[in-house]
């Protein structure tokens, strides 16, 4: 129970758009060769439950855990078996019970069940805090940690270290007085974070523009903006309003006004971020860390602040020139555009220009017809095709449980249930249960995400307890005369999320807390980001495609080419923007409490943006964009670099092992055993080096962006 993190893979959410598709349904399932599969050795969860049962089971799980903690805390002769193994076994069995209970709130039609599920979630969160601060348990854990048995296997040794570390990070190794100080500072930090989000959520600022000032906006955007009595249009600072204005408004002064207004929409948060940075520095020092970044990174693949600095600095150096070239190209486009409109040219490309000219470049030089492309991805065929690709690379088999089978147990009639098998030995061996919940419903989770519902592990007798995992998506449901057609971005997202699901299923860890997806936060996205490459490979796109009116008709080369060419337009510029956030975040969180108290965050943010991104801010050097970005405030503090970190290693893995032959089953098996199979049971950088056969490098990532 202690280690579970439901929905952690939905960290980087992708939202789906609904779309209308032309009538004329003709669906033929993608045929996949399959060996016949026996009855799975572990039945699927039942999904039949009442609201009261959700609460009863949650309370019972908490009680049992508390009792086990009491026993561990009272242990007079602590050993690996009676403390650590006992702790891990409780965790293994409890996560299998409670994780499905908190899943109902995301997917169930019955409001009572959803409410009970939410309540269960809160009960567990509260218990989690209580359990993490038990001195008696820590004393027993610490005794085992200090006298590690010599013959312990590496995964069990890692287990001891991770459990001890969790308590130590909670301050339990500190004298009482110091620990109380940490608790008080954390309380203040938590209140500061809550206030920051509240300000952000309740922000309701807007700007008013005449139709002329908004010239260039598509008619659909005018329709969506609220019209005032005086004929002006109201633009709020919500994304659906701001984005099209920055993208389409021809008037530079309008875009500048929007940019400045947007950056300064919650200035009250500036002071709150400064306070949080100072509090974090103080807490880190009390806990014995040099800086907050070192505290955070201790539990990440990156390990410490100097590794992150080196990673970001190196990337920046290599991207710098290409970034300047991209800015230059956009500036030339800007001046051509201004001249054509009879306006004076300008010397610089400003922050409020980038989206507009990036879009103009896409329109002029990279015409991609996304509607037409989607005609080649009818949902049923695309999904079967994607499962088939996974089957052949990773030697797997997905067997759908028929609607009339007594094995079928689901939370909604639309849900598809699969037993998943590994096939490399020639006879199918069970790996776990997999669900696809594809279509939108009222009150269902609105994005696409993988939910790990039960993690795999080996029990005391060495028998495998198999994982259960689900993909929740929101594809339009096909009807008799309207097929569901996937956009290319949706194909990519599905592939990505499926990657998280597979990570869970092929996990082979001894303890549930290390299985599959349970890896360091800065590596959790890498396997799925790597799999996205398949959806940009010309041969794979062709293979996967089949026109919905005649599935034997593949996408033509020209259409594929136009899509692939558009993948990295202004890629260096985009990455430099991410680098600005990543480096700013590290600057904030590598300060001593004294330095943090003196820090001028506004100056730092604006100076770094201009230096790193090469986009100018003109006379707007004091805007407060950092006060509107929740990432720095909570969850991603000292962790923003993680987006780029995992992308760089995803590219390295793909280029090294799969680029030449994306369907190579030998590389697939090696990847399955060395990377995803090991999950978090070993250091992830060790796994990566083992798989690559050398030190990881950013060369492939740079090559993707056209830098050699
Ligand atoms: Zn993901």
């Amino acid at each position: 129970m202690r280690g579970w993190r439901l929905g952690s893979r939905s960290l980087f959410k992708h939202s789906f758009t609904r779309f209308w598709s032309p009538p004329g349904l003709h669906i033929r399932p993608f045929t996949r060769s399959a060996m016949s599969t026996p009855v799975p050795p572990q039945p699927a969860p039942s999904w039949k439950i009442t609201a009261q049962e959700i609460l009863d089971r949650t309370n019972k799980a908490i009680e049992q855990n508390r009792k086990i903690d009491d026993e561990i805390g009272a242990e007079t002769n602590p050993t690996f078996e009676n403390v650590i193994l006992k702790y891990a076994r409780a965790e293994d069995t409890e996560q299998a019970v409670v994780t499905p209970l908190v899943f109902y709130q995301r997917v169930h039609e019955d409001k009572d069940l959803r409410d009970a599920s939410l309540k269960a979630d809160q009960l567990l969160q509260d218990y989690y805090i209580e359990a993490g601060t038990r001195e008696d348990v820590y004393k027993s854990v610490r005794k085992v940690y200090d006298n590690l048995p010599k013959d312990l296997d590496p995964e069990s040794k890692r287990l001891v270290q991770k459990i001890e570390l969790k308590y130590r990070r909670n301050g339990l190794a500190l004298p009482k007085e110091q620990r109380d100080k940490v608790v008080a500072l954390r309380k203040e930090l938590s209140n500061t974070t809550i206030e920051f989000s509240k300000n952000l959520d309740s922000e309701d600022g807007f700007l008013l523009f005449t139709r002329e000032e908004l010239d260039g906006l598509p008619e659909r955007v005018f329709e969506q903006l609220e019209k005032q009595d005086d004929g002006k249009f109201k633009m709020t600072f919500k994304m659906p309003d701001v984005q099209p204005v920055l993208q389409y408004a021809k008037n530079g002064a309008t875009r500048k006004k929007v940019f400045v207004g947007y950056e300064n929409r919650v200035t009250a948060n500036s002071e709150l971020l400064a306070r949080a940075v100072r509090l974090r520095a103080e807490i880190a020092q009390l806990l014995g860390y040099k800086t907050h970044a070192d505290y955070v990174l201790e539990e990440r693949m990156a390990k410490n602040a100097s590794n992150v600095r080196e990673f970001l600095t190196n990337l920046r150096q290599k991207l710098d020139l290409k970034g300047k070239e991209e800015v230059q190209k956009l500036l030339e486009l800007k001046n051509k555009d201004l001249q054509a409109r009879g306006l004076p040219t300008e010397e610089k490309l400003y922050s409020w220009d980038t989206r507009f000219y990036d879009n103009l470049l896409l329109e002029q030089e990279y015409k991609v017809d996304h509607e037409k492309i989607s005609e080649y991805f009818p949902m049923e065929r695309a999904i079967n095709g994607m499962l088939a690709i996974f089957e052949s690379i990773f030697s797997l088999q997905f067997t759908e449980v028929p609607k009339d089978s007594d094995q079928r147990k689901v939370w909604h009639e639309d849900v598809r249930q699969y037993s998943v098998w590994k096939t490399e030995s020639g006879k199918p061996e069970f790996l776990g249960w997999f669900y696809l919940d594809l279509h939108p419903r009222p009150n269902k989770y609105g994005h696409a995400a993988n939910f790990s519902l039960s993690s795999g592990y080996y029990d005391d007798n060495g028998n495998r307890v198999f994982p259960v995992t689900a993909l929740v998506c929101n594809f339009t449901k096909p009807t008799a005369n309207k097929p569901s057609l996937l956009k290319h971005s949706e194909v990519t997202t599905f592939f990505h999320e499926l990657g998280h699901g597979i990570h869970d299923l092929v996990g082979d860890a001894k303890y549930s807390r290390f299985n599959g997806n349970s890896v360091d936060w800065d590596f959790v996205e890498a396997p799925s980001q790597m799999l996205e490459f398949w959806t940009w490979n010309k041969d794979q796109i062709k293979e996967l495609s089949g026109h919905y009116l005649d599935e034997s008709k593949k996408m033509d080369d020209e259409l594929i080419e136009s899509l692939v060419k558009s993948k990295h337009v202004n890629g260096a510029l985009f990455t430099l923007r991410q680098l600005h956030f990543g480096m700013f975040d590290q600057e904030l969180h590598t300060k001593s409490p004294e330095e943090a108290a003196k820090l001028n965050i506004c100056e730092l943010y604006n100076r770094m943006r201009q230096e790193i991104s090469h986009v100018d801010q003109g006379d707007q050097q004091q805007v407060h964009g950092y006060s509107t970005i929740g990432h720095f405030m909570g969850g991603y503090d000292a962790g923003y670099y993680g987006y780029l970190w995992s992308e760089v290693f995803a590219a390295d893995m793909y280029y090294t092992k799969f680029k030449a032959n994306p369907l190579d089953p030998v590389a697939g098996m090696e990847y399955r055993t060395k990377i995803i199979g090991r999950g978090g049971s070993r250091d992830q950088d060790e796994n990566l080096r083992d798989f690559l056969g050398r030190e990881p490098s950013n060369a492939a990532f740079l090559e993707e962006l056209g830098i050699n």
Side-chain angles (χ1 to χ4, degrees), residues 9 496-497 500 525:
R9 4 270 165 239
H496 175 110
E497 298 303 336
H500 287 311
E525 291 300 321

Side-chain angles (χ1 to χ4, degrees), residues 388-535:
I389 291 176
F390 274 85
E391 286 180 331
S392 72
I393 310 170
F394 298 128
S395 307
L396 300 175
Q397 184 169 314
F398 295 86
T399 304
E400 187 170 356
V401 179
K403 290 242 169 185
D404 57 359
S405 164
D406 54 8
Q407 282 175 43
R408 183 174 149 86
K409 291 163 194 158
V410 290
W411 54 88
H412 186 275
E413 57 178 11
D414 284 351
V415 174
R416 301 175 191 195
Q417 179 189 351
Y418 297 82
S419 58
V420 183
W421 309 77
K422 55 179 177 179
T423 57
E424 65 272 20
S425 71
K427 74 174 180 35
E429 294 169 70
F430 189 61
L431 281 179
W433 290 105
F434 172 67
Y435 299 89
L436 280 180
D437 187 348
L438 293 172
H439 307 299
R441 289 190 297 274
N443 301 307
K444 188 182 132 174
Y445 178 76
H447 306 272
N450 172 245
F451 290 88
S452 167
L453 301 177
S454 177
S455 219
Y457 60 93
Y458 287 92
D459 69 14
D460 280 331
N461 303 318
N463 295 321
R464 186 75 179 157
V465 177
F466 298 98
V468 181
T469 195
L471 245 64
V472 177
C473 310
N474 283 279
F475 297 127
T476 310
K477 201 172 174 175
T479 62
N481 50 16
K482 188 162 69 72
S484 172
L485 302 177
L486 305 188
K487 290 198 166 138
H488 179 260
S489 60
E490 292 176 311
V491 171
T492 304
T493 301
F494 186 87
F495 223 71
H496 175 110
E497 298 303 336
L498 191 56
H500 287 311
I502 299 302
H503 202 168
D504 270 344
L505 289 164
V506 304
D508 196 31
K510 203 166 159 179
Y511 305 107
S512 62
R513 68 155 51 207
F514 294 138
N515 197 67
N517 258 322
S518 309
V519 297
D520 296 342
W521 268 39
D522 49 0
F523 194 70
V524 71
E525 291 300 321
S528 286
Q529 285 167 337
M530 183 188 82
L531 287 160
E532 289 181 19
F533 279 95
W534 272 257
T535 67

Side-chain angles (χ1 to χ4, degrees), residues 12-249:
F12 311 107
K13 283 174 193 155
H14 312 268
S15 57
F16 275 3
T17 47
R18 300 195 194 172
F19 44 87
W20 186 262
S21 42
L25 183 74
H26 178 89
I27 284 174
R28 199 154 25 86
F30 203 95
T31 44
R32 313 199 316 265
S33 65
M35 31 176 117
S36 66
T37 49
V39 175
Q42 173 182 305
S46 95
W47 303 112
K48 271 206 171 63
I49 200 162
T50 65
Q52 192 54 48
E53 281 167 336
I54 289 181
L55 295 174
D56 289 348
R57 284 182 205 177
T58 305
N59 283 317
K60 194 175 155 207
I62 289 172
E63 253 168 61
Q64 277 173 347
N65 253 265
R66 204 178 269 133
K67 194 171 144 271
I68 286 167
D69 271 358
D70 289 344
E71 288 166 16
I72 291 174
E75 196 54 67
T76 49
N77 178 28
T79 64
F80 174 78
E81 283 74 21
N82 67 23
V83 172
I84 302 296
L85 196 59
K86 192 169 185 168
Y87 186 104
R89 287 297 170 236
E91 191 170 82
D92 290 341
T93 47
E94 294 312 315
Q95 59 88 26
V97 173
V98 302
T99 319
L101 299 179
V102 297
F103 176 59
Y104 287 103
Q105 60 182 300
R106 313 284 191 162
V107 290
H108 213 277
E109 281 186 309
D110 183 339
K111 184 173 185 304
D112 290 343
L113 285 198
R114 287 200 311 275
D115 289 348
S117 173
L118 186 64
K119 181 89 208 322
D121 206 349
Q122 285 157 354
L123 289 169
L124 288 162
Q125 296 301 337
D126 290 346
Y127 173 67
Y128 180 82
I129 292 170
E130 172 201 315
T133 49
R134 284 190 64 156
E135 252 178 284
D136 56 340
V137 176
Y138 180 58
K139 270 189 192 136
S140 295
V141 169
R142 183 70 200 221
K143 271 191 195 130
V144 181
Y145 175 80
D146 286 337
N147 304 287
L148 270 188
K150 299 255 172 322
D151 54 348
L152 217 50
D153 65 279
E155 188 175 339
S156 299
K157 200 169 151 194
R158 190 172 166 86
L159 178 73
V160 182
Q161 288 162 342
K162 291 283 178 187
I163 293 174
E164 192 279 333
L165 184 61
K166 195 197 80 174
Y167 286 100
R168 185 148 40 91
R169 288 167 65 83
N170 273 348
L172 283 157
L174 298 177
K176 175 92 172 70
E177 194 191 330
Q178 229 170 316
R179 194 192 325 151
D180 289 346
K181 226 182 205 171
V182 171
V183 172
L185 290 172
R186 278 197 171 144
K187 182 82 200 145
E188 197 184 341
L189 177 60
S190 155
N191 290 339
T192 309
T193 312
I194 292 168
E195 205 182 328
F196 185 100
S197 322
K198 231 189 252 168
N199 288 345
L200 207 52
D201 292 345
S202 61
E203 176 278 313
D204 58 358
F206 60 88
L207 292 168
L208 297 173
F209 291 108
T210 63
R211 194 175 177 98
E212 199 191 348
E213 286 169 324
L214 293 174
D215 182 34
L217 261 61
E219 210 43 49
R220 65 175 164 82
V221 183
F222 280 111
E223 280 164 23
Q224 134 203 339
L225 298 176
E226 196 183 304
K227 206 169 172 188
Q228 307 295 295
D229 291 341
D230 60 2
K232 284 191 173 174
F233 291 88
K234 178 176 172 180
M235 190 217 73
T236 71
F237 291 126
K238 306 292 173 233
M239 258 301 145
D241 284 5
V242 172
Q243 202 170 326
V245 177
L246 286 173
Q247 190 169 330
Y248 296 112

Side-chain angles (χ1 to χ4, degrees), residues 332-346:
E332 281 162 22
L333 184 66
K334 172 178 168 175
N335 281 328
K336 239 189 263 167
D337 171 56
L338 291 174
Q339 276 172 330
R341 290 196 266 143
L343 296 166
T345 58
E346 291 181 7

Side-chain angles (χ1 to χ4, degrees), residues 308-325:
V308 172
R309 183 176 304 119
E310 194 188 316
F311 170 83
L312 294 174
T313 310
N314 186 291
L315 212 49
R316 184 192 165 191
Q317 273 168 4
K318 291 178 175 158
L319 282 161
D320 199 55
L321 184 63
K322 178 87 174 168
K324 279 183 188 153
E325 286 168 10

